[in-house]
Amino acid sequence: MRKFLPRFRGPIFWAKTVQSVLLCAIVVAMLGAGRSPFDRIGHQLICTCGCGQILLECNHVGCTYSTQEIAELRTQLANGASETAIQQWFVAKYGATVLSAPLRGGFDNAAWIVPTVVFLLATGGTFLVVW
């Protein structure tokens, strides 16, 4: 006769599970920690030359757009503007397409919520079909 796995797995299994979950939560929480404001903001903006790359990572030879925008970013930081104010300044000058991710709030929340909901519904639907 075939033995089935017991439902109760024991305290060692649950201790390792809790440790794994806590480790994952700490790693996610520490992503981006210790970066300078220049790096944080520069990685939240896109170069406007049309390449679609992050501003600080635009690697076009002689790209005047990225050098100009990086200089503007340095100027804004030197003036003591906050990160939100700098983002709003770039949006006012270049439009919302300069942001690498939509801002939180208002209708932009849909850009954060809809993909997650669709993924969860697709996963649940796939589970039901397979089951």
Side-chain angles (χ1 to χ4, degrees), residues 75-96:
T75 304
Q76 292 290 324
L77 284 170
N79 291 338
S82 68
E83 292 184 23
T84 306
I86 294 172
Q87 283 183 342
Q88 293 299 329
W89 185 86
F90 272 91
V91 168
K93 184 169 182 179
Y94 297 106

Side-chain angles (χ1 to χ4, degrees), residues 49-91:
C49 70
C51 65
Q53 294 182 5
I54 300 296
L55 176 60
L56 296 182
E57 297 175 6
C58 180
N59 58 3
H60 292 111
V61 177
C63 179
T64 58
Y65 292 96
S66 65
T67 54
Q68 175 188 352
E69 292 173 24
I70 289 172
E72 291 171 348
L73 176 59
R74 289 185 195 275
T75 304
Q76 292 290 324
L77 284 170
N79 291 338
S82 68
E83 292 184 23
T84 306
I86 294 172
Q87 283 183 342
Q88 293 299 329
W89 185 86
F90 272 91
V91 168

Side-chain angles (χ1 to χ4, degrees), residues 15-76:
K16 288 183 179 183
T17 302
V18 169
Q19 287 174 350
S20 299
V21 169
L22 288 175
L23 178 64
C24 290
I26 290 171
V27 167
V28 168
M30 295 302 292
L31 288 174
R35 291 180 10 192
S36 69
F38 176 76
D39 284 338
R40 275 195 309 272
I41 299 170
H43 281 93
Q44 294 172 356
L45 300 173
I46 292 180
C47 182
T48 58
C49 70
C51 65
Q53 294 182 5
I54 300 296
L55 176 60
L56 296 182
E57 297 175 6
C58 180
N59 58 3
H60 292 111
V61 177
C63 179
T64 58
Y65 292 96
S66 65
T67 54
Q68 175 188 352
E69 292 173 24
I70 289 172
E72 291 171 348
L73 176 59
R74 289 185 195 275
T75 304
Q76 292 290 324

Side-chain angles (χ1 to χ4, degrees), residues 86-121:
I86 294 172
Q87 283 183 342
Q88 293 299 329
W89 185 86
F90 272 91
V91 168
K93 184 169 182 179
Y94 297 106
T97 57
V98 76
L99 297 174
S100 62
L103 295 173
R104 300 267 173 137
F107 185 71
D108 290 336
N109 281 341
W112 292 102
I113 296 171
V114 170
T116 305
V117 170
V118 168
F119 173 75
L120 292 174
L121 289 174

